[in-house]
Amino acid sequence: MEDHEPCRDDVWNPRCDYICKRETLVTSIIKNTRDYGVMVIRAPPQVGKSTLLKLIGHHIAHNEPDLDPVYFVWKSREDRQHIPYQQYIQQEQADWQQKEPKIPPRNPTAQMIYLIDEAQNSYEEEILWENLKNRKNTRTSPYYVLVCVYGAAGISSKRDPRVESQAQLMHRMHLVELRPSFPGNPYMLFQKEEVKVIVNKFAIDQGHAVDEEVVEYLLG
């Protein structure tokens, strides 16, 4: 596995200070996506969903040559001038591939994997979500990783509008739920080793050394 840090101009750079690449979580989501075809990440706002999605894309770009990642933020029908969702996805794919660097060179036989942010905006696309639920894991079918705000209201002409979300109707094996570190704290729970990475990066940047006791205190 190559150990690349996202550079400042990298399209996969999540623009976070002292980032931890969260390899265990990232590789687990990629493996499950390969196994099940679709993974839906749900979390409250501001816990790091978009950052995680960029980290997944960065890892794939440098370590998974048989996958071709495409990232975009889903727009509602109104915001995209009612373009059919199939056409919209193809348009976003073309736009992304224009700006994504070709280093490493794109593999023409790679399988597409869509990394879709703000996917709760797609809840009105009932056919899309029905297809995701019934997706067959074939060599020609693209993979999907969708990030949704936990608890976002569903948009539906056929279902009761109180339905929480289309994502909630997915099978549990397709779901990843990210929780804040503790109630009221808008940050994703980190493992001890991940906290050490973040603290050490901050300390090095500030010209300090950090004792193990500092990490233990932060975790306490």
Side-chain angles (χ1 to χ4, degrees):
M1 181 184 299
E2 297 187 37
D3 186 24
H4 294 272
E5 287 283 347
C7 64
R8 184 176 299 275
D9 297 327
D10 191 337
V11 293
W12 296 114
N13 189 333
R15 305 294 188 266
C16 292
D17 293 330
Y18 318 117
I19 192 168
C20 172
K21 292 189 291 182
R22 312 209 69 178
E23 291 288 354
T24 300
L25 179 59
V26 165
T27 55
S28 174
I29 291 173
I30 294 171
K31 180 184 183 303
N32 287 342
T33 305
R34 286 183 180 275
D35 289 343
Y36 305 129
V38 178
M39 292 302 296
V40 180
I41 303 170
R42 297 199 305 162
Q46 302 300 313
V47 302
K49 301 182 302 299
S50 299
T51 297
L52 177 59
L53 205 57
K54 287 293 187 76
L55 291 174
I56 291 170
H58 181 266
H59 178 93
I60 291 171
H62 291 283
N63 298 284
E64 311 278 348
D66 62 324
L67 296 178
D68 190 0
V70 171
Y71 170 90
F72 63 95
V73 178
W74 191 279
K75 297 178 182 178
S76 68
R77 288 178 186 170
E78 182 177 358
D79 288 343
R80 65 176 194 262
Q81 288 76 50
H82 297 276
I83 297 173
Y85 82 83
Q86 300 96 328
Q87 180 182 342
Y88 170 61
I89 291 174
Q90 293 302 312
Q91 179 180 301
E92 290 286 357
Q93 175 182 327
D95 290 346
W96 176 261
Q97 291 177 339
Q98 283 293 318
K99 63 183 177 182
E100 184 191 17
K102 305 302 185 294
I103 302 174
R106 180 171 291 113
N107 177 3
T109 65
Q111 196 162 356
M112 199 66 60
I113 178 167
Y114 294 113
L115 308 177
I116 303 177
D117 208 350
E118 302 295 345
Q120 71 276 358
N121 293 332
S122 70
Y123 289 164
E124 59 192 336
E125 305 293 349
E126 295 180 350
I127 295 176
L128 166 65
W129 282 90
E130 193 65 28
N131 289 338
L132 292 176
K133 283 185 285 185
N134 298 318
R135 179 191 178 280
K136 304 297 182 184
N137 207 359
T138 68
R139 181 63 185 85
T140 58
S141 300
Y143 295 112
Y144 291 84
V145 179
L146 304 100
V147 164
C148 305
V149 173
Y150 184 80
I155 304 172
S156 173
S157 60
K158 298 180 181 178
R159 296 191 179 94
D160 189 315
R162 291 171 294 179
V163 170
E164 181 183 31
S165 69
Q166 296 279 7
Q168 191 181 30
L169 304 178
M170 298 290 288
H171 192 281
R172 289 185 62 182
M173 70 182 183
H174 294 289
L175 296 176
V176 176
E177 296 197 355
L178 305 179
R179 301 292 184 179
S181 299
F182 53 84
N185 183 3
Y187 300 99
M188 199 182 343
L189 183 63
F190 284 90
Q191 297 178 358
K192 179 179 178 179
E193 291 304 314
E194 294 172 336
V195 173
K196 288 174 65 175
V197 169
I198 296 169
V199 171
N200 282 323
K201 285 186 176 183
F202 172 79
I204 291 170
D205 185 62
Q206 301 298 316
H208 300 296
V210 178
D211 294 329
E212 183 71 20
E213 289 79 7
V214 173
V215 177
E216 296 293 340
Y217 172 78
L218 292 172
L219 291 170

